[in-house]
């Protein structure tokens, strides 16, 4: 079976951009750009029988292939949104922690209450911890904050 020229060029474009993306950065993910996705969609619609399944009596067609590509693109979009949201939460947490420097706080540590002044803020893997009385505490253990008088 001979593939339509537009389908061949769309797949070649996708392959070359994927190879380029993988060599461009050591940690980049392979993604299908919207332009590549639309090229393949257009080519698939103009050539509905990508594989030879129509001659074998199978009901599978290019629409199954397109459905999988759409799901793949949706997953990529959700992954990017998750990364953006995670970065936003980390930044907000860091700003909140920095705002507590020099303030009197009360924290809960293993069921007991600890009070003191925030002497330092530490960051590890994007997450902030407060240093009170020489010991590190997560922001989630914070009970109250007040001005140090």
């Amino acid at each position: 079976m001979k593939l339509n020229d537009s389908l061949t060029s769309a797949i070649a474009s996708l392959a070359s951009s994927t190879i380029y993306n993988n060599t461009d950065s050591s940690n980049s993910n392979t993604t299908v750009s919207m332009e590549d996705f639309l090229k393949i969609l257009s080519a698939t619609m103009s050539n509905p029988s990508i594989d030879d399944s129509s001659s074998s009596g199978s009901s599978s067609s290019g629409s199954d292939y397109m459905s999988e590509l759409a799901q793949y693109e949706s997953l990529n979009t959700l992954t990017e949104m998750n990364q953006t949201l995670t970065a936003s939460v980390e930044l907000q947490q860091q700003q909140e922690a920095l705002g507590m420097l020099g303030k009197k706080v009360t924290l809960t540590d293993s069921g007991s209450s600890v009070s003191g002044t925030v002497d330092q803020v530490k960051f590890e893997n994007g997450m902030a911890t407060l240093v009170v009385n020489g010991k590190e505490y997560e922001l989630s253990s914070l009970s109250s904050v007040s001005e140090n008088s």
Side-chain angles (χ1 to χ4, degrees), residues 13-30:
S13 170
L14 177 61
S16 66
S17 68
T18 300
I19 290 169
Y20 176 75
N21 285 341
N22 284 340
T23 59
D24 188 33
S25 174
S26 61
N27 64 353
S28 81
N29 294 330
T30 302

Side-chain angles (χ1 to χ4, degrees), residues 42-64:
S42 172
T44 302
M45 291 176 74
S46 66
N47 185 14
S49 180
I50 297 177
D51 56 11
D52 206 21
S53 62
S54 60
S55 63
S56 65
S58 173
S59 62
S60 177
S61 68
S63 63
D64 292 339

Side-chain angles (χ1 to χ4, degrees), residues 104-119:
K104 184 176 179 181
V105 296
T106 303
L107 305 145
T108 305
D109 183 30
S110 304
S112 62
S113 183
V114 176
S115 293
T117 302
V118 177
D119 301 316

Side-chain angles (χ1 to χ4, degrees), residues 70-111:
Q71 289 175 359
Y72 176 75
E73 188 61 27
S74 295
L75 179 62
N76 280 340
T77 302
L78 289 172
T79 301
E80 290 172 8
M81 287 174 56
N82 182 42
Q83 291 170 346
T84 302
L85 183 60
T86 299
S88 177
V89 167
E90 287 176 354
L91 181 61
Q92 182 180 5
Q93 184 192 51
Q94 291 170 0
Q95 290 173 338
E96 287 176 13
L98 287 171
M100 290 184 211
L101 274 171
K103 295 195 177 178
K104 184 176 179 181
V105 296
T106 303
L107 305 145
T108 305
D109 183 30
S110 304

